[in-house]
Amino acid sequence: MSKFSRIVTPAVFLSAVLPCAAHAWQYDSGKFGLKITGYGTGGILETDFDKPGSIGDWRVRAEMDYMATDTNTLGLVYAIDAAAVDEEKFLREGFTYWQNRKFGRVELGLTDSIARKMGVGLPDVGGLRVNDKPLFYKKITPRGPVISDTTLTTGRGGLRMNYATMPIGAMQYGLSVSGLTDNYDYAVDGAIKIRQPSGKVKTAYAIGASFMSRPDGYRTDAYTPHVYADWRAQMSAGVNVQYNSWIFGTTARLIYDENPVGRPSDGLAVGTGVSYDILNYSISLTYIFSDTGIWNRDVDDYMDHTGIASFRYKYSENVDVWISGGLTTETPFLAVGLRLTI
């Protein structure tokens, strides 16, 4: 059996037996609606070209909504995924919302900040969760702290209220406030998004900013130390451009901690990528650079470079097969898997 066959066969087998959390079901009855969506991914990741290890990813999301009037909708959302379970949490997010067709949407509960929800990610057609705590770092332990996510985030562990306006022309605004958590006193996030969804060239720009008071054992990036500081400030910016079947993306995130205690976990992360679709085939190239400790002159900063090339074949509306090859600062890897969405 060839080396490629030894990689592909276990991936297909693991994908077939992996409990797939993808189960979409929708029910509408007058003013009441219920929808359950999700996906499941199974495969293998090879780092030493000798003994491939299995990887799995999944998410389930349930949403109930009630149309109180023609312009007002009330809803509940609960979601859980593999990333949350890895951190021994019982949910990805859980919140209630009120949506008004004129004024926008208000969310209350445990959920991502508005700066993250309105941010833009990097093009990637693989199954390694590049824009959300990448799966390859479950098998590859970096030698230093890595800011792997280029989109601003302040976690989902504190009670949060998000507000997002309806689009005002091409622009949309958002604000969020969170607290009631042991990890910080409070956090305030803001975001602006500008979209041009029509025409031959479609664009989306996003800018986000955040201030967190007294982070105490706080951490959202799985590969950085816990943060103890007087305060933390973040900024992020990103752009996506679509031209026919091409998508280009660039994102950046800047983190600063005031008077941190312990190992530094602030710095910057910058990413760029491109993807192309033709018929049922997609390819992408993605690059992320992370540099932590750049504000602290007493310690050496740690730089990490990650490049990934991915290919996806869409077998049907609900079944994708993907393969990714990449290189972190010191470790090459190859991953292949199957993704189910229903």
Side-chain angles (χ1 to χ4, degrees):
M1 182 180 294
S2 67
K3 181 174 292 185
F4 181 78
S5 298
R6 292 200 305 270
I7 293 174
V8 172
T9 302
V12 174
F13 173 76
L14 286 167
S15 303
V17 301
L18 180 73
C20 178
H23 182 77
W25 180 77
Q26 188 165 349
Y27 172 77
D28 292 295
S29 177
K31 296 185 176 182
F32 175 80
L34 173 64
K35 182 168 69 172
I36 300 175
T37 58
Y39 69 85
T41 298
I44 60 97
L45 188 145
E46 170 71 82
T47 59
D48 55 11
F49 300 100
D50 182 28
K51 296 180 180 179
S54 64
I55 56 172
D57 187 30
W58 54 269
R59 179 175 297 176
V60 180
R61 187 179 191 274
E63 179 174 354
M64 294 188 298
D65 62 76
Y66 175 74
M67 184 175 291
T69 67
D70 290 341
T71 58
N72 294 282
T73 302
L74 304 176
L76 290 170
V77 173
Y78 172 81
I80 187 169
D81 62 7
V85 173
D86 287 344
E87 298 177 358
E88 300 181 349
K89 297 178 181 179
F90 63 93
L91 54 77
R92 162 82 184 200
E93 58 180 353
F95 63 91
T96 182
Y97 68 83
W98 166 60
Q99 186 164 304
N100 181 280
R101 292 184 180 178
K102 295 182 179 179
F103 300 107
R105 177 179 172 114
V106 176
E107 301 174 343
L108 179 64
L110 303 177
T111 186
D112 284 308
S113 72
I114 198 67
R116 181 172 182 84
K117 291 190 174 187
M118 293 177 63
V120 296
L122 296 172
D124 177 70
V125 303
L128 293 176
R129 212 168 59 202
V130 167
N131 290 296
D132 185 14
K133 299 179 180 177
L135 283 174
F136 49 83
Y137 277 123
K138 294 182 70 173
K139 304 294 181 181
I140 303 172
T141 302
R143 292 183 178 272
V146 173
I147 303 171
S148 62
D149 196 331
T150 58
T151 305
L152 189 156
T153 177
T154 50
R156 297 178 292 272
L159 181 65
R160 183 185 305 278
M161 184 176 70
N162 287 335
Y163 171 65
T165 66
M166 296 297 289
I168 304 172
M171 303 188 72
Q172 187 176 19
Y173 305 89
L175 179 69
S176 70
V177 179
S178 65
L180 298 182
T181 173
D182 294 334
N183 293 328
Y184 52 84
D185 289 346
Y186 65 88
V188 180
D189 300 67
I192 299 174
K193 193 165 190 177
I194 306 171
R195 287 178 289 186
Q196 181 58 50
S198 60
K200 191 171 184 179
V201 179
K202 302 175 177 63
T203 58
Y205 303 88
I207 301 174
S210 169
F211 176 84
M212 177 182 292
S213 175
R214 297 193 179 278
D216 183 12
Y218 162 81
R219 183 176 71 168
T220 55
D221 293 273
Y223 321 107
T224 56
H226 292 271
V227 181
Y228 301 87
D230 290 347
W231 49 265
R232 161 170 283 201
Q234 297 185 70
M235 291 191 66
S236 66
V239 56
N240 280 177
V241 178
Q242 180 178 352
Y243 175 75
N244 294 330
S245 296
W246 291 92
I247 297 177
F248 304 88
T250 299
T251 57
R253 177 184 175 194
L254 188 68
I255 306 173
Y256 174 78
D257 294 331
E258 178 69 10
N259 295 326
V261 177
R263 297 179 63 198
S265 60
D266 55 0
L268 63 88
V270 180
T272 187
V274 59
S275 67
Y276 180 74
D277 296 328
I278 180 171
L279 300 175
N280 292 343
Y281 303 91
S282 301
I283 59 173
S284 68
L285 295 173
T286 307
Y287 168 75
I288 301 176
F289 169 72
S290 168
D291 192 353
T292 52
I294 60 177
W295 316 112
N296 193 329
R297 296 183 179 180
D298 297 330
V299 298
D300 293 332
D301 55 341
Y302 178 76
M303 292 182 286
D304 182 80
H305 303 265
T306 300
I308 302 172
S310 298
F311 169 80
R312 181 185 66 182
Y313 171 66
K314 194 172 184 63
Y315 178 76
S316 68
E317 183 179 356
N318 309 107
V319 181
D320 293 350
V321 180
W322 57 269
I323 182 170
S324 297
L327 178 68
T328 65
T329 298
E330 299 178 351
T331 306
F333 62 87
L334 178 67
V336 62
L338 183 145
R339 175 184 170 106
L340 306 176
T341 57
I342 300 178

PDB file of all heavy atoms in Angstrom, residues 39 44 83 172 176 179 263 268-269 276 300 309 320 339:
ATOM      1  N   TYR A  39     -22.250  20.325  11.663  1.00  0.00           N
ATOM      2  CA  TYR A  39     -21.345  19.630  10.757  1.00  0.00           C
ATOM      3  C   TYR A  39     -20.481  18.676  11.567  1.00  0.00           C
ATOM      4  O   TYR A  39     -20.368  18.782  12.792  1.00  0.00           O
ATOM      5  CB  TYR A  39     -20.458  20.611   9.980  1.00  0.00           C
ATOM      6  CG  TYR A  39     -19.433  21.329  10.825  1.00  0.00           C
ATOM      7  CD1 TYR A  39     -18.189  20.754  11.117  1.00  0.00           C
ATOM      8  CD2 TYR A  39     -19.700  22.602  11.339  1.00  0.00           C
ATOM      9  CE1 TYR A  39     -17.257  21.409  11.898  1.00  0.00           C
ATOM     10  CE2 TYR A  39     -18.772  23.263  12.112  1.00  0.00           C
ATOM     11  CZ  TYR A  39     -17.554  22.666  12.396  1.00  0.00           C
ATOM     12  OH  TYR A  39     -16.631  23.308  13.173  1.00  0.00           O
ATOM     13  N   ILE A  44      -7.315  12.445   9.472  1.00  0.00           N
ATOM     14  CA  ILE A  44      -6.030  12.195  10.126  1.00  0.00           C
ATOM     15  C   ILE A  44      -5.096  13.350   9.832  1.00  0.00           C
ATOM     16  O   ILE A  44      -5.249  14.083   8.838  1.00  0.00           O
ATOM     17  CB  ILE A  44      -5.397  10.854   9.677  1.00  0.00           C
ATOM     18  CG1 ILE A  44      -5.149  10.848   8.152  1.00  0.00           C
ATOM     19  CG2 ILE A  44      -6.290   9.691  10.055  1.00  0.00           C
ATOM     20  CD1 ILE A  44      -3.742  11.208   7.775  1.00  0.00           C
ATOM     21  N   ALA A  83     -14.294  22.570  19.899  1.00  0.00           N
ATOM     22  CA  ALA A  83     -13.384  23.511  20.547  1.00  0.00           C
ATOM     23  C   ALA A  83     -13.811  23.791  21.976  1.00  0.00           C
ATOM     24  O   ALA A  83     -12.965  23.909  22.879  1.00  0.00           O
ATOM     25  CB  ALA A  83     -13.320  24.809  19.740  1.00  0.00           C
ATOM     26  N   GLN A 172     -22.251  49.077   8.795  1.00  0.00           N
ATOM     27  CA  GLN A 172     -22.946  48.503   9.933  1.00  0.00           C
ATOM     28  C   GLN A 172     -22.063  48.699  11.170  1.00  0.00           C
ATOM     29  O   GLN A 172     -20.848  48.557  11.099  1.00  0.00           O
ATOM     30  CB  GLN A 172     -23.231  47.018   9.708  1.00  0.00           C
ATOM     31  CG  GLN A 172     -24.106  46.380  10.780  1.00  0.00           C
ATOM     32  CD  GLN A 172     -24.433  44.932  10.463  1.00  0.00           C
ATOM     33  OE1 GLN A 172     -23.754  44.290   9.661  1.00  0.00           O
ATOM     34  NE2 GLN A 172     -25.481  44.408  11.067  1.00  0.00           N
ATOM     35  N   SER A 176     -20.433  46.006  22.176  1.00  0.00           N
ATOM     36  CA  SER A 176     -20.732  44.977  23.173  1.00  0.00           C
ATOM     37  C   SER A 176     -20.056  45.307  24.486  1.00  0.00           C
ATOM     38  O   SER A 176     -18.982  45.912  24.528  1.00  0.00           O
ATOM     39  CB  SER A 176     -20.306  43.592  22.678  1.00  0.00           C
ATOM     40  OG  SER A 176     -18.903  43.473  22.640  1.00  0.00           O
ATOM     41  N   GLY A 179     -19.144  41.263  31.365  1.00  0.00           N
ATOM     42  CA  GLY A 179     -18.636  41.245  32.728  1.00  0.00           C
ATOM     43  C   GLY A 179     -19.177  40.034  33.469  1.00  0.00           C
ATOM     44  O   GLY A 179     -19.520  39.019  32.866  1.00  0.00           O
ATOM     45  N   ARG A 263       4.652  35.185  31.784  1.00  0.00           N
ATOM     46  CA  ARG A 263       5.061  35.116  30.383  1.00  0.00           C
ATOM     47  C   ARG A 263       4.176  36.000  29.514  1.00  0.00           C
ATOM     48  O   ARG A 263       2.956  36.034  29.693  1.00  0.00           O
ATOM     49  CB  ARG A 263       4.993  33.674  29.879  1.00  0.00           C
ATOM     50  CG  ARG A 263       5.929  32.706  30.580  1.00  0.00           C
ATOM     51  CD  ARG A 263       5.745  31.312  30.010  1.00  0.00           C
ATOM     52  NE  ARG A 263       6.108  31.270  28.592  1.00  0.00           N
ATOM     53  CZ  ARG A 263       5.730  30.286  27.768  1.00  0.00           C
ATOM     54  NH1 ARG A 263       4.975  29.298  28.214  1.00  0.00           N
ATOM     55  NH2 ARG A 263       6.105  30.301  26.509  1.00  0.00           N
ATOM     56  N   LEU A 268       1.221  40.556  18.023  1.00  0.00           N
ATOM     57  CA  LEU A 268       0.427  40.744  16.818  1.00  0.00           C
ATOM     58  C   LEU A 268       0.330  39.445  16.024  1.00  0.00           C
ATOM     59  O   LEU A 268       1.173  38.558  16.145  1.00  0.00           O
ATOM     60  CB  LEU A 268       1.013  41.846  15.936  1.00  0.00           C
ATOM     61  CG  LEU A 268       2.414  41.651  15.351  1.00  0.00           C
ATOM     62  CD1 LEU A 268       2.348  40.923  14.002  1.00  0.00           C
ATOM     63  CD2 LEU A 268       3.108  42.996  15.164  1.00  0.00           C
ATOM     64  N   ALA A 269      -0.722  39.362  15.250  1.00  0.00           N
ATOM     65  CA  ALA A 269      -0.915  38.254  14.321  1.00  0.00           C
ATOM     66  C   ALA A 269      -1.432  38.830  13.014  1.00  0.00           C
ATOM     67  O   ALA A 269      -2.361  39.645  13.013  1.00  0.00           O
ATOM     68  CB  ALA A 269      -1.894  37.230  14.880  1.00  0.00           C
ATOM     69  N   TYR A 276      -9.852  29.779  -4.695  1.00  0.00           N
ATOM     70  CA  TYR A 276     -10.435  29.762  -6.036  1.00  0.00           C
ATOM     71  C   TYR A 276     -11.380  28.579  -6.151  1.00  0.00           C
ATOM     72  O   TYR A 276     -11.044  27.459  -5.729  1.00  0.00           O
ATOM     73  CB  TYR A 276      -9.334  29.659  -7.097  1.00  0.00           C
ATOM     74  CG  TYR A 276      -9.863  29.625  -8.506  1.00  0.00           C
ATOM     75  CD1 TYR A 276     -10.374  30.771  -9.115  1.00  0.00           C
ATOM     76  CD2 TYR A 276      -9.877  28.431  -9.238  1.00  0.00           C
ATOM     77  CE1 TYR A 276     -10.862  30.747 -10.416  1.00  0.00           C
ATOM     78  CE2 TYR A 276     -10.355  28.395 -10.534  1.00  0.00           C
ATOM     79  CZ  TYR A 276     -10.857  29.555 -11.125  1.00  0.00           C
ATOM     80  OH  TYR A 276     -11.349  29.515 -12.396  1.00  0.00           O
ATOM     81  N   ASP A 300      12.815  37.620  25.095  1.00  0.00           N
ATOM     82  CA  ASP A 300      12.833  37.510  23.638  1.00  0.00           C
ATOM     83  C   ASP A 300      11.422  37.221  23.131  1.00  0.00           C
ATOM     84  O   ASP A 300      10.690  36.415  23.720  1.00  0.00           O
ATOM     85  CB  ASP A 300      13.769  36.383  23.201  1.00  0.00           C
ATOM     86  CG  ASP A 300      15.223  36.697  23.520  1.00  0.00           C
ATOM     87  OD1 ASP A 300      15.567  37.887  23.557  1.00  0.00           O
ATOM     88  OD2 ASP A 300      15.994  35.738  23.740  1.00  0.00           O
ATOM     89  N   ALA A 309      -1.681  24.966   2.323  1.00  0.00           N
ATOM     90  CA  ALA A 309      -2.320  24.810   1.014  1.00  0.00           C
ATOM     91  C   ALA A 309      -3.402  23.746   1.147  1.00  0.00           C
ATOM     92  O   ALA A 309      -3.148  22.658   1.684  1.00  0.00           O
ATOM     93  CB  ALA A 309      -1.303  24.409  -0.040  1.00  0.00           C
ATOM     94  N   ASP A 320     -18.122  16.756   1.677  1.00  0.00           N
ATOM     95  CA  ASP A 320     -16.892  17.323   1.127  1.00  0.00           C
ATOM     96  C   ASP A 320     -15.721  16.432   1.505  1.00  0.00           C
ATOM     97  O   ASP A 320     -15.672  15.900   2.620  1.00  0.00           O
ATOM     98  CB  ASP A 320     -16.606  18.713   1.691  1.00  0.00           C
ATOM     99  CG  ASP A 320     -17.632  19.749   1.256  1.00  0.00           C
ATOM    100  OD1 ASP A 320     -18.464  19.457   0.382  1.00  0.00           O
ATOM    101  OD2 ASP A 320     -17.575  20.857   1.798  1.00  0.00           O
ATOM    102  N   ARG A 339     -15.872  15.817   5.443  1.00  0.00           N
ATOM    103  CA  ARG A 339     -16.758  16.709   6.188  1.00  0.00           C
ATOM    104  C   ARG A 339     -18.199  16.476   5.758  1.00  0.00           C
ATOM    105  O   ARG A 339     -18.494  16.444   4.558  1.00  0.00           O
ATOM    106  CB  ARG A 339     -16.365  18.171   5.962  1.00  0.00           C
ATOM    107  CG  ARG A 339     -17.286  19.211   6.603  1.00  0.00           C
ATOM    108  CD  ARG A 339     -16.811  20.592   6.212  1.00  0.00           C
ATOM    109  NE  ARG A 339     -17.768  21.636   6.585  1.00  0.00           N
ATOM    110  CZ  ARG A 339     -17.576  22.488   7.605  1.00  0.00           C
ATOM    111  NH1 ARG A 339     -16.486  22.386   8.340  1.00  0.00           N
ATOM    112  NH2 ARG A 339     -18.463  23.404   7.884  1.00  0.00           N
TER     113      ARG A 339
END
